[in-house]
Every structure is written in structure tokens, then in C-alpha cells.
Amino acid sequence: MKHIFIGLFLFLNIFSSSAQQSTLSGSIKDTDGTAIPFVSIYIENTTIGTSANVDGIYTLKIQNGTYTIVYKTIGYKALEKNVKITGDTSIDVILQPESYTLAAVNIVGNGEDPAYEVIRQAIKKRKEHLNEVNAFTADVYVKGVQKLVGAPKKLFRKNIQRILDVDTNGKGIIYLSESTSRFSYQRPNLIHEEMVSSKVAGHNSAFSFNKASDLTINFYDNILLENKFSSRGFVSPISDNALRYYRYKLLGTSTDNGETIHKIQIIPRRENDPVFRGLIYIKEDSWHLVNANVFLTKNTGINLLDTLNISQQFLKTDETYMPSSINVQFNGDVIGFKFEGYYVGVYSNYNLQPNFPKKHFNGEVLKINKAVNEKDSLFWLNNRPIPLTTEEQRDYKRKDSIEVVKTSKHYLDSVERESNKIGAFGLITGFTIKKYETRRRYQFEPLYKSILYNTVEGFAIKPAITYTKDLGERRFYDIRAEVRYGFSNKLLTGNISSNYYYRPDKRANISFSAGSGIYDLNNYGSMSQFGNSTNSLFFETNFSKFYKKEFINLGTTRELSNGLQARIKGSYARNTNLKNTSTFKFRDLEDEHFTSNNPFTPDSETPLFPTYEALTITAGLNYTFGQTYITRPNGKFYQPSRYPVIDLTYRKGIKGVLSSDVDYDLVSLEVSQNKISAGLWGYFSFIVGAGKFLNSSQIYYPDAKHFTGNNSLFSLPELPKFLFLDFYLFSTDKEYVEAHFEHNFSGFFTNKVPFLRKLKLEEIVGASYLSQPIKRNYTEFYFGFQRLIFRAAYGFAYDGSKRVNHGFRLSYGF
């Protein structure tokens, strides 16, 4: 037995010696001595490699042995060096500019540039190249750097340099992060990424937001970068209809290891089309894209940025080409904040014939374990493929040192004292008292939300405070208390509500509320509190109608499986009709007058319903097809779905129990999907719902099925909504069908008009439909424009074929 252990020891020692890892490093410059950034360095005939940093410095961890090292980047001749590695080795290289010639290319008789024939061949092969790799795995390193290069000293009286930790000139790195992960892909669009390591400057306990999938740009797709920098994306230079958007110029042809490569300049046919500018490199015969260096400018429709540059290099693997590195650089200027930065991804160790285990692709697109941010400096020294620049090294060191100070009790106590000071401005806008050590927070709602006016209560106040206790790992509970008093009707109400979020990975919570309050007769709401107060006081129009509710509620929600969410809620309430008690207004308009609190009898205060008790149970299932999510140590985060969402709800009014007066059963089904891509034509969204009261033996107005109507100039910005439907008159206790559709052209038309192009307006068209026993075949159509959170639309409303309303509607997305 002793000899076995000795033999095993010798074997392991010999094996470790033979597998000794060393470091190959150096600098890469051009013939003028200027550093060349982001050069790909890899071992010939393998997918083992790295990339130089922005200063042209590289390191490559490599086993001892003899290799051919290839240095390759766009615009320079590839360089091969035979090296023997027996220990740490330094090799500085100089790359020669690539030489392209037109001598080998014949100009066709019609004078068309030879680039067009190359592009036509590449377009013919587009689908084949798009589908030629069915699946792969790769190791991916991602580094993200965001910097401010200029900023105002103060914004809203806040010291910007102090908040963003930049110098007095407003310059400095505001985000620096690195990550390594194992990336899996399977056609047509299945991905799974598992983060191996993560590092964020100044946040040792944080996890990087880097995602390899965010850097996935496939030029064989017709449209690129949808919903990333623009809602409608950009046309690939080798898309099926690329010749309608681009002109091409052959800059030359070169030969690399017997392979003929064409260098082609891509030029927009129209200045403001959503297209790239720059260079692409295409291989003769196979017509693969082998390199790309392209950019977008502000006039192409990119949001918030001035320019976006994408440089992608490819590595020959088997009979195809796979990305070896991608570099995305950007800059911009937003309200005086000038910024720039880059994200770089390095791919290595490709496997094009992976054997994935069952349920490998289960909707989890990224998994981050707790241990990924616990890697020490030695790990990063041995596993970081791109060396840090001097500036990045300083940023890590400085911010890590600052974090030690910022997490100390003395510092937190001083911040707590400073941030918890309450001034007059804070009383108006609201303020929060934080207790860092105990992770507690007290939030006082702003004064402007606590004062209101309506014709039921007159002037009223409703101060509220919310207490939140952070339990760690995104678990918390909160308790909100509110009191409300109307000075005209002399009615005092108050309630308390609480939510306990106990399983963030299951989106699970328990909620409880009890007390009394004044509520809108339409449970979807009619107007905002501010909007109704303004209309009542200045325009003598009291749109919103109210009732009093005394209640106790208990509910819970929880994810049953990926994409399937269940909810159940029990409620007991005593509902009381209210009437107007105030006619006060700032302006007395001759043609306007207040209406009663009963929307069906505007000229008399007729009770809409008697005081009654209601015991109800509501249960629902919500399912998202193809739901994807990110698993982080602090929870599960759903990603926007590419497929519809189905929501099934059952509500039961129970008679006789706890003196309950109601007796009804409502079943409803809703199908919706948001932002369905229409390529260059923008995107559209829809909601279709239907429901029926299976039993309506005893039901009162507050428990009916209500709809999101609108009686005023201002409307809701999001679906589901009606622009002209009355808030209250067409609620139902029977069956109903409603549908909403909206298309956003994302500047497809306005981008072609010089004046409108500068405004960056997005065109919208939409339609809504409602049918129920007292409102058959009601339809609305509208068109308009929106910019950021504001929109203006003009619409028409029809009862059957008869037009019943039309006009402008404005909205804002706060």
C-alpha cells in the first residue's frame, strides 16, 4: 500500500511538471510604434487565445511546449511566430499594414464595382452560414468599462463628482467589471450561460451585469441590435435586402494562407437609414464574413449615443468561422454628461459538437452562483485574458480601498446623519430615513401627494408612511400606514397594508391589508388624484366618482414552474355609497357644472347601491410561453418574453358567510404580448380579453367588470386602454369581449422628413374594441406620435358604424 501511494505521488508530480503552465506576454505595435488595441492572439489550429487590451498589451496562459502563435487584427497582416515555451516568455511584435490590391479583380463592362458581385454571393450564402453551426459551447471573457469624460458639477443641487466618484473635471471610470463564463448555444435561439467569475470595481460583494449574449451580434441575421440601441434595429450589410440600403466599394483583395479575402467598404444609400458604415471582409469561394469593423452614427436612430463602433474578428474552426473577439465602443452626451466606454468579449475553447444534458436549455439564460465574486487576485492574474490598463489597475485599487471605508460603521453613521436631515424641500417632495446598520427604511410620502380635492370629500389630506425591513438576498417586508380625512364630509379613514417577499427565486409573497378608505368606483381607476383635483378646481369638472370601503384582505402569489405564476386572494369588505358634499372651485365656468357622485344620474344624488357586505375569493394563473430568466444569488429575474402571456382569473362572490350579500361567479381570460418585432417597421403590442359572469344572482356596481375608459384630454399611455369610453357607464355584470392593438413604427416614416427627423418622433397607430350587452361593437381608431414618455394622438370612436366621438388625446408615461 505504501508503494502505491509513493507511485501515485511520483505520477502526479511528473504529470504536473509536464503540464506546467507559463505566461506568454508582450506588446503589439504598428510600424510607427503606435500601440494596436484589441489584437487577437491565438494558437494556430486551435480556439485557444486571447486579445490585447486597449494599449496593445497582451498575456496568454499556455502550457510549456512549441507552438505557432498567430497575431491578427483588422487592417494589418496576420503574423505567425514559432515559439518554444519553457517558462514565462515575453514577445513584442510589430504588425505590418495589410496590403490590398485591385489588380487581381476585373472591372465588369457595365462599370459596376466588383464589390457588388462579392456581396451578392455572400447574400446567397447568408442562410446557409446562419444555420451551418447547430450548436456550440465556448468560454467567454467579458470586460465592460464606462467612463465620464465631462460632467456638470451639480445637478438638482446634488454634487455630481461626489455621487459618481469622479474628479473635479467630471472625469473618471464609473463602471469597471470583468466576468468569465461558459456559454452554450443551440439553434434556433436557445442559450444558457453560467458565470464562473465576476469582479466589479468598488463592489466586492456585487455581481457583474456582463452577459455574453448581450455581445452576440450575427451579421447573417437580416436585422441586428433590435431593442438594444433602437427599437427597430439596423440592416445587416449582407441581409437579403441589403442592396436597397447600401452601396459597396471594393477597396482591395489580399491573400492570407492561400485564402483570398475581399475588403469592402459599406456606404449608406441614404444618410438617415438604419444602416452601418465601415468595412467588412469576405472570403472568396465560401463567401464567409471573416472580419467586420462598422459603426453607427446618431442620424441612424441610435438612442442616447453619438457613435457606436463594432469590431468583430473571426477564427476559422473546422469548415466555418466563429467569433474570436468582439469589441463594442461608444460615446455620447446627455444633458452635459459626456461619456464613453467599451465592452469587449473574447471567445475561446469552442466545441462545435457539444452533447448537452437533458433540460440544459430550461429557460435559464444566465446563472450566477454565490461564489463567482469570491475569486482572489491570484485567480484573476492567472485567468484574465486581457491585461488591465494602468488606468483600470488604479481604478480597481482606489475603489476597493474606498469600499473598505464606505462599509465601515463610522462612515455609514456619518452618511446616515447627513442623508436623514429633513428640510422644507424634503417635506414637499417626500423624504426617507435610512438605518444602514439594521437595514431599515422609513419613507414619508411627499406633501404634494397628500393634499387633494374632490367633490365628495372637498379638500382632503392623506399622509402615509412606509416601513421597510431588508432581510437580505432580496427578501424583505414592508408595512404601509395611511390616514385620510375629508374636510367637507368630515370622514376619517385609515388603513394598513403589508407585503412579505420571502422567496425571490419563486417570486413568492404574502400580502395583508385592513382598514378603510375612499376608492374609485372603477377598480382600474379613472384619473390620477392630481388630474381630478385640477379638473375639479379649475375646470369645474369632477370626472372621478368614489365610494367608501372597510375591508380586510389576505393574499399570496408564487411561481409554480418556470413562467407559471399562481395567485389567490380572500377579501371581506363593507361598501358604502357616498355623495357630493362640496361645490368649491377656483373658477366658476358658465357652461360647466359639477355632476353627482352617481355616474348614471349626473343631475341628482341618487344612491348607486345600498351599503352591503362582500366576501370574495379570487384565484388566478398567469403563464408566459417560452419564459426566460436570469438566476442571481439575490433572486430570479424574468426577461422580456418573445411569446404571448395568458392570464386566467376566477372571482367568486360568496353569499351568506359572514353576512355577505353578494352571489356571483366571474371567469375571465386574457392573452397579451408586448413589443412584437416587425423588423424595420417597428413593433406592435396587443391585448385580447374575454369574460363571463357564470352567475350574477346578486352583484353590486363596485364588483362589476370595469374597463379602462377615458373622459378627458389626457389618457393612459399603455395598453389596455380606451381613449373615449366613459369611465363608468359601460361596466357589466354579463359577458364581454375587449381587444387592444397598437403599432409603433419607431420613426420609419418621420425619419424620412428632414424637420421631423430631428425630433426623433415615433409614429403610432392603434385600435380598440369592446362588445358587451349594453355596448355592442364599440370601436376606436387612433394615430399619433410619441417621444420618450410623451405622446399625442388623434382618434375616432364608433358605435357600430356611427361615429360618436373624436378628438385629441395626450398622455405621459410617469
Side-chain angles (χ1 to χ4, degrees):
M1 182 66 69
K2 178 180 178 181
H3 294 294
I4 293 176
F5 281 108
I6 293 174
L8 180 61
F9 174 80
L10 292 174
F11 171 79
L12 292 174
N13 191 52
I14 293 170
F15 178 80
S16 63
S17 298
S18 64
Q20 181 67 43
Q21 189 178 67
S22 299
T23 301
L24 173 64
S25 62
S27 65
I28 306 172
K29 299 180 180 178
D30 62 16
T31 52
D32 294 329
T34 302
I36 306 175
F38 305 115
V39 176
S40 289
I41 304 100
Y42 58 90
I43 301 173
E44 189 179 41
N45 298 323
T46 74
T47 59
I48 300 172
T50 186
S51 172
N53 67 15
V54 70
D55 294 329
I57 305 298
Y58 74 95
T59 60
L60 176 62
K61 297 297 178 181
I62 190 170
Q63 305 294 334
N64 288 345
T66 301
Y67 304 95
T68 299
I69 306 298
V70 180
Y71 300 83
K72 187 177 182 181
T73 192
I74 297 172
Y76 294 86
K77 292 181 180 179
L79 176 65
E80 297 181 0
K81 276 191 172 292
N82 296 317
V83 297
K84 184 176 182 181
I85 304 296
T86 58
D88 291 348
T89 305
S90 178
I91 298 179
D92 297 332
V93 300
I94 296 176
L95 299 185
Q96 301 291 326
E98 182 60 274
S99 176
Y100 289 88
T101 176
L102 289 170
V105 181
N106 295 321
I107 304 297
V108 295
N110 62 7
E112 182 183 67
D113 193 285
Y116 284 88
E117 181 57 28
V118 177
I119 293 296
R120 289 190 184 98
Q121 295 297 331
I123 293 173
K124 286 180 182 179
K125 287 281 192 177
R126 184 191 70 82
K127 285 187 177 179
E128 179 183 326
H129 294 331
L130 182 65
N131 297 305
E132 65 186 347
V133 176
N134 182 61
F136 71 84
T137 62
D139 293 329
V140 186
Y141 165 84
V142 179
K143 178 165 70 172
V145 179
Q146 298 176 25
K147 297 193 289 186
L148 274 182
V149 293
K153 293 186 181 297
K154 288 189 176 183
L155 185 67
F156 301 123
R157 301 193 301 179
K158 301 289 186 179
N159 188 304
I160 297 301
Q161 286 93 19
R162 182 176 178 181
I163 294 173
L164 297 179
D165 194 18
V166 294
D167 64 23
T168 54
N169 296 315
K171 296 181 179 181
I173 295 177
I174 56 176
Y175 177 78
L176 168 60
S177 176
E178 300 173 276
S179 66
T180 62
S181 60
R182 187 66 176 167
F183 186 75
S184 303
Y185 170 84
Q186 183 171 288
R187 293 207 60 80
N189 53 21
L190 299 177
I191 62 172
H192 182 266
E193 180 180 356
E194 184 161 356
M195 191 172 287
V196 177
S197 59
S198 165
K199 186 173 177 63
V200 183
H203 299 279
N204 291 331
S205 60
F207 301 92
S208 173
F209 285 94
N210 297 342
K211 284 170 55 186
S213 57
D214 285 343
L215 292 177
T216 300
I217 299 174
N218 192 337
F219 284 91
Y220 296 122
D221 288 325
N222 282 321
I223 305 296
L224 308 177
L225 302 174
E226 283 184 282
N227 294 317
K228 290 187 177 179
F229 301 100
S230 167
S231 55
R232 62 181 175 137
F234 303 90
V235 180
S236 168
I238 52 174
S239 69
D240 290 337
N241 61 348
L243 293 172
R244 294 172 51 192
Y245 290 90
Y246 289 97
R247 292 186 292 111
Y248 302 91
K249 182 178 182 180
L250 182 66
L251 299 183
T253 299
S254 68
T255 302
D256 183 9
N257 290 328
E259 297 178 340
T260 301
I261 308 297
H262 300 290
K263 179 181 181 181
I264 297 173
Q265 182 181 5
I266 56 174
I267 307 163
R269 286 190 177 274
R270 291 164 293 275
E271 186 70 15
N272 295 281
D273 275 351
V275 295
F276 298 90
R277 294 157 171 79
L279 303 171
I280 58 174
Y281 299 75
I282 295 176
K283 179 180 174 294
E284 180 81 19
D285 297 331
S286 73
W287 311 109
H288 279 99
L289 181 72
V290 295
N291 280 315
N293 188 11
V294 298
F295 63 95
L296 298 167
T297 57
K298 194 161 32 176
N299 57 355
T300 62
I302 53 176
N303 296 323
L304 302 177
L305 303 178
D306 291 338
T307 60
L308 178 75
N309 180 267
I310 299 171
S311 179
Q312 191 169 25
Q313 299 185 58
F314 294 82
L315 182 66
K316 189 171 184 180
T317 307
D318 295 337
E319 295 303 317
T320 188
Y321 287 81
M322 300 296 291
S324 61
S325 67
I326 183 169
N327 179 250
V328 180
Q329 296 177 282
F330 55 87
N331 64 71
D333 185 346
V334 178
I335 59 171
F337 290 85
K338 298 179 180 179
F339 60 91
E340 63 181 35
Y342 68 86
Y343 279 82
V344 60
V346 178
Y347 301 80
S348 61
N349 299 322
Y350 275 106
N351 179 4
L352 302 188
Q353 295 182 333
N355 183 20
F356 295 122
K358 288 183 179 180
K359 298 183 179 180
H360 183 68
F361 299 102
N362 58 1
E364 184 183 57
V365 295
L366 175 62
K367 182 177 183 179
I368 304 176
N369 294 315
K370 287 184 178 180
V372 301
N373 61 359
E374 297 176 359
K375 306 294 195 265
D376 59 18
S377 57
L378 183 61
F379 169 87
W380 284 103
L381 186 64
N382 291 325
N383 292 276
R384 177 183 288 123
I386 302 179
L388 297 174
T389 66
T390 302
E391 181 185 22
E392 292 163 359
Q393 290 176 17
R394 285 199 303 263
D395 191 68
Y396 266 136
K397 185 176 181 180
R398 187 177 66 87
K399 287 183 177 175
D400 289 349
S401 300
I402 291 175
E403 187 191 25
V404 174
V405 176
K406 286 187 174 181
T407 54
S408 67
K409 186 178 185 304
H410 175 75
Y411 180 84
L412 291 176
D413 288 344
S414 64
V415 171
E416 185 177 293
R417 287 192 299 270
E418 184 67 25
S419 63
N420 290 343
K421 290 180 180 178
I422 304 170
F425 189 72
L427 291 174
I428 298 173
T429 61
F431 62 92
T432 301
I433 296 176
K434 298 178 182 179
K435 300 294 183 180
Y436 291 100
E437 187 174 1
T438 56
R439 296 200 282 194
R440 292 177 293 147
R441 183 172 72 245
Y442 302 86
Q443 185 173 359
F444 295 82
E445 291 196 2
L447 188 63
Y448 73 86
K449 284 187 177 182
S450 301
I451 300 176
L452 63 136
Y453 175 83
N454 59 64
T455 54
V456 170
E457 300 172 278
F459 283 99
I461 57 171
K462 60 176 196 70
I465 179 176
T466 301
Y467 166 78
T468 303
K469 171 64 175 177
D470 184 358
L471 302 174
E473 298 181 338
R474 282 189 72 238
R475 296 179 305 111
F476 67 92
Y477 67 85
D478 58 42
I479 302 172
R480 182 181 186 273
E482 174 189 291
V483 294
R484 180 167 178 157
Y485 181 73
F487 289 94
S488 178
N489 65 354
K490 304 293 192 283
L491 189 61
L492 175 66
T493 59
N495 58 77
I496 188 169
S497 59
S498 179
N499 285 281
Y500 172 39
Y501 296 86
Y502 63 96
R503 282 288 302 273
D505 60 321
K506 294 294 183 182
R507 299 202 304 171
N509 83 297
I510 297 173
S511 61
F512 170 81
S513 59
S516 60
I518 309 300
Y519 295 95
D520 199 305
L521 283 171
N522 185 328
N523 62 351
Y524 289 113
S526 51
M527 299 190 68
S528 69
Q529 174 183 293
F530 176 78
N532 185 66
S533 298
T534 302
N535 276 282
S536 299
L537 291 169
F538 292 94
F539 301 101
E540 204 172 345
T541 308
N542 55 330
F543 286 115
S544 299
K545 311 300 178 183
F546 302 95
Y547 74 108
K548 178 185 175 183
K549 179 165 67 172
E550 300 161 276
F551 60 89
I552 181 169
N553 301 318
L554 181 63
T556 183
T557 65
R558 185 183 173 95
E559 182 187 69
L560 303 180
S561 62
N562 182 44
L564 180 61
Q565 190 85 3
R567 63 187 183 276
I568 187 168
K569 178 182 177 182
S571 176
Y572 181 80
R574 176 183 174 88
N575 299 325
T576 304
N577 185 78
L578 297 176
K579 62 180 182 179
N580 288 342
T581 64
S582 174
T583 58
F584 178 83
K585 58 267 186 182
F586 290 143
R587 300 171 63 201
D588 190 0
L589 303 180
E590 183 176 348
D591 298 329
E592 296 290 345
H593 67 278
F594 289 131
T595 58
S596 78
N597 193 50
N598 185 336
F600 295 91
T601 59
D603 296 323
S604 63
E605 287 290 351
T606 306
L608 180 59
F609 56 89
T611 298
Y612 71 96
E613 283 78 33
L615 175 64
T616 58
I617 299 292
T618 304
L621 290 173
N622 182 285
Y623 182 68
T624 303
F625 290 94
Q627 180 67 72
T628 58
Y629 61 94
I630 294 173
T631 302
R632 301 174 69 88
N634 58 350
K636 184 176 185 178
F637 299 84
Y638 277 169
Q639 303 300 287
S641 177
R642 301 172 56 190
Y643 303 100
V645 178
I646 296 179
D647 191 274
L648 176 65
T649 302
Y650 171 69
R651 175 156 53 97
K652 170 70 174 175
I654 304 172
K655 186 176 179 63
V657 180
L658 298 177
S659 302
S660 175
D661 299 309
V662 296
D663 183 7
Y664 66 86
D665 296 86
L666 171 63
V667 175
S668 60
L669 180 68
E670 184 177 278
V671 181
S672 63
Q673 189 171 353
N674 192 34
K675 290 194 173 182
I676 305 168
S677 173
L680 296 182
W681 291 87
Y683 61 88
F684 62 93
S685 305
F686 75 87
I687 297 177
V688 178
K692 181 178 177 61
F693 281 85
L694 305 177
N695 158 43
S696 56
S697 299
Q698 188 65 61
I699 181 170
Y700 300 94
Y701 185 85
D703 298 310
K705 166 61 183 176
H706 305 288
F707 304 97
T708 52
N710 182 57
N711 292 348
S712 71
L713 176 63
F714 288 90
S715 68
L716 296 171
E718 301 292 341
L719 300 180
K721 63 180 180 183
F722 290 97
L723 297 185
F724 302 100
L725 187 73
D726 189 274
F727 288 130
Y728 305 102
L729 297 184
F730 303 107
S731 301
T732 184
D733 59 1
K734 305 297 182 184
E735 67 277 1
Y736 70 92
V737 175
E738 72 170 314
H740 305 269
F741 171 88
E742 183 173 287
H743 189 98
N744 186 318
F745 287 96
S746 301
F748 184 86
F749 298 106
T750 56
N751 195 49
K752 296 174 173 57
V753 182
F755 171 71
L756 295 178
R757 181 187 303 137
K758 294 181 180 180
L759 300 177
K760 291 190 175 183
L761 297 176
E762 299 177 352
E763 318 88 335
I764 53 171
V765 296
S768 296
Y769 173 83
L770 175 65
S771 186
Q772 47 109 324
I774 61 172
K775 195 71 170 175
R776 298 288 187 184
N777 298 321
Y778 173 82
T779 54
E780 295 181 352
F781 304 95
Y782 62 91
F783 63 90
F785 302 95
Q786 75 174 30
R787 173 66 174 142
L788 300 177
I789 62 174
F790 302 99
R791 70 159 58 188
Y794 194 87
F796 305 86
Y798 295 85
D799 267 342
S801 59
K802 180 183 178 181
R803 193 177 77 180
V804 293
N805 210 335
H806 66 97
F808 282 100
R809 289 294 183 261
L810 308 176
S811 63
Y812 53 91
F814 290 119

